[in-house]
Amino acid sequence: MDEFAIIRRLTEGRQTPAFQKERGIVTGIGDDAAVANLTSGCQLVMTCDTMTEEIHFKKITMRDTDIGYKAMAAAVSDIAAMGAIPRYALISLSFPKGTVLDKIESIYKGLYECADRFKVVIAGGDTTSAVQGITVAVTIIGEVERGKALLRSVAKPGDVLFATGFLGLSAAGLQYLLDRGIPSGEWDEHSVTEAHSALVRAHCRPDPQIEAGQLLQRSGICHALNDVSDGLASEAWEIAEASGVGIDLIEERIPVAGELLVYAQQRELDALDFILYGGEDYQLVGTMREEHAAAMQAKFREAGLALHIIGYVQTQPRGVRLVQSGGKVVSLEKKGYNHF
Amino acid sequence: MDEFAIIRRLTEGRQTPAFQKERGIVTGIGDDAAVANLTSGCQLVMTCDTMTEEIHFKKITMRDTDIGYKAMAAAVSDIAAMGAIPRYALISLSFPKGTVLDKIESIYKGLYECADRFKVVIAGGDTTSAVQGITVAVTIIGEVERGKALLRSVAKPGDVLFATGFLGLSAAGLQYLLDRGIPSGEWDEHSVTEAHSALVRAHCRPDPQIEAGQLLQRSGICHALNDVSDGLASEAWEIAEASGVGIDLIEERIPVAGELLVYAQQRELDALDFILYGGEDYQLVGTMREEHAAAMQAKFREAGLALHIIGYVQTQPRGVRLVQSGGKVVSLEKKGYNHF
C-alpha cells in the first residue's frame, strides 16, 4: 500500500465534508495544503512536511544546515503550489539525548535561513527527545485571497501543462552524493566539482517557487497547480486523477538541464528517468488554457523566471502518457518515491 | 541544558520582535502557543506537540489509540491555556516500514476521537517512514478574539493562583503502569482495578480544559494562564518568571484526589511529589484578583467544573514557595520532566 492509500485509509470518511465545511474548510486532505476560512478577505493555507534521518537525509547526503533548509523549503513549496503566501511556521524537532547540540543548532540555522528568505515567522514548535534518529516536521500556515487558492483538481481538457524550471536535478544530486560517499560535514560548496554543483544544490538547497506561484495566482488564468515533490510522472498523475482528465507529456518539450544531461551521460543513465521518477525538485507544474501561455511566459521572463510548456491535457482520463520524440506514445506509471 | 534553554539558544535573536510584529505576530515563541493577526476580529493561535516512542509512550503504558488521543489532547491543551478555540490540526506521523498498519490506524483513531470531541478538523499532515520508532507531531491552529488570548506573563501581585482540577494523577498513573508492566494492547479499562482507573485514565486519556479556558477568557478577569504539562512547580515557575513575580503555593489548599492519596499511601510515596513534579495533567493553572475568585468559582460550579484556589502571587520575584501545613515555607525547585 502506498502513502496515499494509507492516508486515505486513515482519514477517509472520518470527518464528513459537511462537518469540515461548517468549520470553514474549503480544501482538506488531498491537495498540497488545506484551505480554511477564518475571516473575510483571506483564507488560511496550512501544510506540514516531515524529514527523518536515514530516510530523507544522511551524513553523506546533507549537511546539518541543509536538513533544516530543506525541511522548511519543502513545506514552503506546498504553500507556493497553492498560489499562497507562507506566513508562520511551527517546528517539531526530536532527536536522541546524546545528539551534539551543534548539530541541532545547525539544523535550526538552516530552518531560519529558508524562513528568512521567504519572510516566514517561526512562531513556535516542540523540541523533544527520541530513542533513535532525528525527525524534523515543519508546519506552515499561509494565506491566500479568498477563493484564489490554486488546486490540483481543475485541469481542463485543452489546457497546456507547464513547469517552472528544470526537473530531475535533485534526484541526480542525491545519486551523485550517495555514490561519492563523503560525509557532508567535511565538504563545502567548493569541494563539489562545478559540473555537479547544480545537482547538489538542487538536492540540498531546493528553491520553492513562491514568486512563480504568486504570478500564477494573481494572473487569474492558472487552472491546476502542483509542486514536484515526487517526480513529474507522479505529479502529472495527481493532477490527472484529481481533475478527471488525461495528460500527455511531450518529450521534446521537456527541458533538460545541461548538468543533468552531462551527469546522465557519464553514468550511462537516462536523464528523462530522473525527470519523470526522481523527486524533490520543488518546481511547480500546472495547467492553463493554451491561448494564455505566451502572455504568461512573457510575464515570467520579465520576472526572471522560466515557464516551459511541456504537455497537454486530454479529455480522456487515460492517465499520463509520454509522446516520445519519434512520435511513439507510451503510458507512464505513477511511480515516484514510495515510503511504504 | 534544559529544553527551554535549548529553544532559547536556537531561536533567540534570530528574528527580531519588530520583524515578527510587522508580520502580525502578537505572541511568539515562549508561551503555550503563538498568536498572530491575520485579519480583523480574530487572531490565529498556533501550537505543536510531539510524542515519540519509548519517550512519551511505550507498549506497557499506552494503547495505540491512547497515543493518538493524547498527542491531540496535549496540543489542544495548549490552545485551552490561551483561552482560545482549537480549529484545525495537521498531523506529522513517521514510523518504520515494518510497522503493522493496524497500529497506525489505531493511533489515527485516537487522534480523531480527541479531534471530534473538540470539533477540531484534521486538515492535513505528512506520513513518512523512519528507521526506528514512531513519532507523532500534532500542530493545532486555533482562534481567539483579537487581543483576548490569555498569556502566562500577566500574573499580578495580590492575585490568587488557581487550578482547574486534580493534579498528579497522570504521573501516578504512569508509575502504576510501569510497575505493572503488562503490554497495554492486552488490557482494557476493565482489567485495571477501579482504584487505579482514574490514574490510568489521567495518563492515557487526558482531559484538556477548553471549556474552562473559554470561561476564563470570556470573563475578562483572568490574568495569567498556563496548562500543566510539566508539574505544578514547573508551571508556577513559568508564570512567576514570565510575570516577574513570586508565587506561594498553600499546601493545605491544594486538592488531592482520593485515588492519588490511596496510591501514594500504598507505595509509601508522597502524593504532593506527584502533584508538584509529575506532569501531563493538562489542567489549567492561572491567576486572577482575589475579589473575583468567588464569583468565578460559582460560574465554574454552574458549568460542572472545578476551580481550586491554591496559592497567592507575591510582589517579590523569589520564585515559587510552598507554605506547608505547619506554616513552614520552603522554596520549590523548578524541576519537572527534562528531555535533555
Side-chain angles (χ1 to χ4, degrees):
Chain A
M1 193 178 295
D2 72 7
E3 184 180 347
F4 282 42
I6 292 175
I7 292 172
R8 249 197 328 273
R9 184 149 155 205
L10 294 171
T11 61
E12 211 163 53
R14 292 286 315 154
Q15 295 180 323
T16 63
F19 173 88
Q20 297 195 33
K21 202 177 161 197
E22 268 168 39
R23 280 157 191 90
I25 287 284
V26 179
T27 302
I29 293 168
D31 216 291
D32 293 302
V35 183
N37 288 319
L38 193 66
T39 46
S40 60
C42 256
Q43 293 174 315
L44 284 178
V45 183
M46 304 167 275
T47 185
C48 147
D49 255 283
T50 309
M51 284 174 50
T52 63
E53 195 167 0
E54 296 305 322
I55 308 289
H56 300 85
F57 57 88
K58 45 181 89 191
K59 277 205 178 60
I60 59 171
T61 62
M62 288 172 73
R63 295 166 300 182
D64 299 330
T65 52
D66 295 335
I67 297 165
Y69 194 96
K70 188 166 175 175
M72 180 67 70
V76 167
S77 178
D78 281 332
I79 300 288
M82 304 299 283
I85 301 171
R87 295 290 187 208
Y88 312 109
L90 295 125
I91 314 298
S92 161
L93 183 59
S94 57
F95 50 89
K97 284 182 200 200
T99 310
V100 180
L101 189 58
D102 277 0
K103 191 175 178 74
I104 303 303
E105 281 195 289
S106 294
I107 292 174
Y108 247 82
K109 188 165 171 275
L111 285 164
Y112 274 115
E113 276 176 40
C114 187
D116 289 350
R117 183 169 156 209
F118 294 100
K119 305 206 183 320
V120 172
V121 177
I122 295 180
D126 193 17
T127 305
T128 184
S129 57
V131 168
Q132 192 191 311
I134 295 172
T135 302
V136 193
V138 176
T139 298
I140 297 193
I141 295 118
E143 55 181 328
V144 70
E145 205 186 318
R146 181 176 284 254
K148 296 293 176 68
L150 297 173
L151 311 183
R152 61 177 64 144
S153 55
V154 286
K156 292 181 187 7
D159 280 0
V160 292
L161 184 81
F162 63 79
T164 58
F166 291 121
L167 301 172
L169 278 77
S170 173
L174 173 61
Q175 186 163 329
Y176 166 77
L177 290 165
L178 288 172
D179 289 348
R180 199 165 178 263
I182 301 173
S184 58
E186 293 164 29
W187 58 265
D188 56 30
E189 303 272 342
H190 307 293
S191 80
V192 175
T193 57
E194 209 176 321
H196 299 119
S197 69
L199 308 180
V200 169
R201 211 167 45 243
H203 184 69
C204 295
R205 292 272 159 164
D207 205 15
Q209 300 295 306
I210 288 292
E211 201 186 342
Q214 281 298 293
L215 269 183
L216 291 163
Q217 188 267 110
R218 278 192 250 111
S219 73
I221 56 110
C222 182
H223 288 165
L225 195 64
N226 223 356
D227 72 323
V228 181
S229 46
D230 293 321
L232 177 57
S234 171
E235 305 302 337
W237 261 101
E238 281 180 14
I239 292 174
E241 285 188 332
S243 304
V245 296
I247 290 180
D248 285 355
L249 303 171
I250 314 300
E251 182 173 0
E252 63 190 13
R253 301 194 66 172
I254 298 172
V256 184
E259 296 89 339
L260 174 60
L261 209 56
V262 168
Y263 178 76
Q265 280 168 349
Q266 284 173 346
R267 303 289 167 115
E268 299 182 342
L269 295 166
D270 188 349
L272 199 61
D273 274 346
F274 288 109
I275 293 171
L276 293 174
Y277 301 117
E280 304 189 331
D281 286 308
Y282 302 120
Q283 295 292 333
L284 300 177
V285 293
T287 78
M288 63 179 74
R289 280 166 61 186
E290 188 162 19
E291 62 259 43
H292 290 137
M296 187 59 94
Q297 285 183 304
K299 234 183 236 178
F300 267 65
R301 254 194 313 275
E302 225 171 88
L305 299 167
L307 194 74
H308 307 284
I309 306 303
I310 61 169
Y312 292 92
V313 178
Q314 309 287 1
T315 310
Q316 296 288 328
R318 58 196 156 197
V320 175
R321 307 186 309 172
L322 180 70
V323 181
Q324 293 178 322
S325 305
K328 203 180 149 197
V329 179
V330 295
S331 287
L332 295 181
E333 282 175 78
K334 195 193 168 169
K335 57 187 189 191
Y337 190 72
N338 179 10
H339 274 284
F340 302 102
Chain B
M1 193 177 293
D2 72 5
E3 184 180 348
F4 281 46
I6 292 175
I7 292 172
R8 253 198 324 275
R9 186 153 155 203
L10 293 172
T11 61
E12 211 163 53
R14 294 282 318 153
Q15 295 181 323
T16 64
F19 172 90
Q20 296 195 32
K21 202 178 161 195
E22 270 168 39
R23 282 160 189 86
I25 287 284
V26 179
T27 301
I29 293 168
D31 217 292
D32 292 302
V35 184
N37 288 320
L38 193 67
T39 46
S40 61
C42 256
Q43 294 176 317
L44 286 177
V45 183
M46 304 168 274
T47 185
C48 146
D49 254 282
T50 309
M51 283 176 48
T52 64
E53 195 169 358
E54 297 304 323
I55 307 289
H56 300 85
F57 56 89
K58 46 180 91 193
K59 277 203 179 62
I60 59 170
T61 62
M62 287 170 73
R63 295 165 300 181
D64 299 330
T65 51
D66 295 335
I67 296 166
Y69 194 97
K70 188 166 175 176
M72 181 66 71
V76 167
S77 178
D78 280 332
I79 300 288
M82 304 298 282
I85 300 171
R87 294 291 187 209
Y88 311 108
L90 295 126
I91 313 298
S92 160
L93 182 60
S94 57
F95 50 90
K97 283 179 203 202
T99 310
V100 179
L101 190 57
D102 277 359
K103 191 176 177 74
I104 303 303
E105 282 196 288
S106 294
I107 292 174
Y108 247 82
K109 188 164 171 276
L111 284 164
Y112 275 114
E113 277 176 38
C114 188
D116 288 350
R117 182 170 158 207
F118 294 101
K119 305 204 185 319
V120 173
V121 177
I122 296 181
D126 193 16
T127 305
T128 185
S129 57
V131 167
Q132 192 190 312
I134 295 172
T135 302
V136 193
V138 177
T139 299
I140 297 193
I141 295 118
E143 56 181 327
V144 69
E145 204 186 320
R146 182 175 284 255
K148 296 292 176 68
L150 298 173
L151 310 182
R152 63 177 61 145
S153 55
V154 286
K156 292 180 184 14
D159 279 359
V160 292
L161 184 80
F162 62 80
T164 57
F166 291 122
L167 301 173
L169 278 78
S170 173
L174 173 61
Q175 187 164 326
Y176 165 77
L177 290 166
L178 288 172
D179 290 348
R180 198 163 177 265
I182 300 174
S184 57
E186 294 164 29
W187 58 263
D188 57 28
E189 303 272 341
H190 307 293
S191 81
V192 174
T193 58
E194 208 177 321
H196 299 119
S197 70
L199 308 180
V200 169
R201 211 169 44 242
H203 184 69
C204 296
R205 293 271 159 164
D207 205 16
Q209 298 295 305
I210 288 292
E211 200 186 343
Q214 281 298 294
L215 269 183
L216 291 163
Q217 187 267 111
R218 279 192 250 111
S219 74
I221 56 108
C222 181
H223 289 163
L225 195 65
N226 223 357
D227 72 322
V228 181
S229 45
D230 292 321
L232 178 57
S234 172
E235 305 302 337
W237 261 101
E238 281 180 15
I239 292 174
E241 286 188 332
S243 304
V245 297
I247 291 180
D248 285 354
L249 302 172
I250 313 300
E251 181 173 0
E252 64 191 14
R253 301 194 63 172
I254 298 172
V256 184
E259 296 90 340
L260 174 61
L261 208 58
V262 169
Y263 178 75
Q265 279 167 350
Q266 284 172 345
R267 303 290 166 114
E268 297 184 344
L269 295 166
D270 188 349
L272 199 61
D273 274 345
F274 288 107
I275 293 171
L276 294 174
Y277 302 119
E280 305 188 329
D281 286 308
Y282 301 119
Q283 295 292 333
L284 300 176
V285 293
T287 78
M288 64 179 74
R289 282 167 59 186
E290 188 162 19
E291 62 260 46
H292 292 136
M296 188 59 93
Q297 285 181 303
K299 234 183 240 181
F300 266 64
R301 252 193 315 274
E302 225 170 274
L305 298 167
L307 193 74
H308 306 284
I309 306 303
I310 60 169
Y312 293 92
V313 178
Q314 308 288 2
T315 310
Q316 296 287 330
R318 59 196 156 196
V320 175
R321 307 187 308 176
L322 180 71
V323 182
Q324 294 178 319
S325 304
K328 204 180 149 198
V329 179
V330 295
S331 287
L332 295 181
E333 280 176 78
K334 195 192 167 167
K335 60 188 186 189
Y337 190 73
N338 179 11
H339 274 284
F340 301 102

